[in-house]
């Protein structure tokens, strides 16, 4: 097995290679505006660090969000393209699950929250690092304060709202190394990983105006 993992659902552009036993190379950069520029060079660096060519990869795993439309699509389209070119399976994993897997929390339950902008967070609660209790959602922190009261939190979204998430643990951003390790663990247990389909959770910012008037030439 040689699994290539990547995620662009958060400001982190993150890539890793896993050989079925351990992560053998990884790269992470935080830049919310340059996912498209940074992802392929990161893949090249990781492959070079591991001393392998892309055609040695036997599977792809990509974070499916939730996340903003533009950044999330970069990772998903790249993963799909690699899968088609190499003829290997492409798996999806919830980005929040990757954060939970790497969480520095001794015991649950806890909440994972990433920045959804618009004064909102993408979030879910977990019984432990491998067991999600709720479906991913997007909400204003004040609106979920009662649901997450008393829970430690993980993620950059939680760091932005200390009134709702007073106790925040590492990591701040997801890592492809954690996604790869979680995917390998689940595959080894015989679990079927989700399809690489995006979790947007809300409509894109760009929409056709409601009072749009079609003008045709005479």
């Amino acid at each position: 097995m040689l699994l290539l993992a990547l995620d662009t659902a958060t400001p982190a552009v993150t890539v890793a290679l896993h050989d079925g036993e351990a992560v053998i190379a990884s790269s992470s950069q935080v830049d919310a505006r340059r996912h498209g520029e940074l992802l392929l060079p990161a893949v090249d660096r990781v492959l070079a660090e591991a001393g392998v060519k892309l055609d040695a990869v036997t599977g792809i795993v990509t974070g499916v969000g939730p996340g903003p439309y533009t950044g999330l699509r970069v990772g998903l389209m790249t993963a799909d393209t690699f899968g088609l070119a190499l003829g290997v399976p492409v798996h999806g994993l919830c980005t929040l699950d990757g954060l939970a897997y790497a969480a520095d929390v001794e015991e649950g339950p806890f909440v994972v929250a990433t920045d959804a902008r618009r004064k909102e967070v993408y979030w879910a609660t977990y019984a432990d690092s491998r067991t999600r209790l709720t479906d991913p959602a997007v909400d204003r922190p004040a609106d979920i304060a009662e649901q997450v009261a008393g829970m430690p939190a993980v993620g950059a979204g939680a760091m932005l709202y200390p009134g709702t998430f007073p106790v925040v643990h590492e990591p701040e951003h997801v890592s492809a190394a954690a996604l790869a390790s979680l995917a390998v663990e689940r595959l080894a247990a015989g679990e079927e990983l989700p399809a690489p389909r995006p979790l947007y959770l809300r409509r894109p910012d760009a929409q056709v105006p409601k009072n749009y008037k079609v003008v045709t030439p005479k």
Side-chain angles (χ1 to χ4, degrees), residues 76-91:
L76 287 166
M77 292 304 295
T78 300
D80 278 343
T81 301
F82 283 160
L84 286 171
L86 298 172
V88 299
V90 181
H91 309 288

Side-chain angles (χ1 to χ4, degrees), residues 67-69 114-122 138-141 143 160-161 200-207:
Y69 181 88
T114 60
D115 184 15
R117 305 173 188 172
R118 304 183 195 174
K119 299 182 179 180
E120 295 178 328
V121 293
Y122 297 117
V138 58
D139 290 288
R140 288 180 175 268
D143 294 339
L160 295 172
Y161 303 98
Y200 292 130
L201 301 189
R202 65 184 180 201
R203 296 179 181 275
D205 292 330
Q207 297 184 35

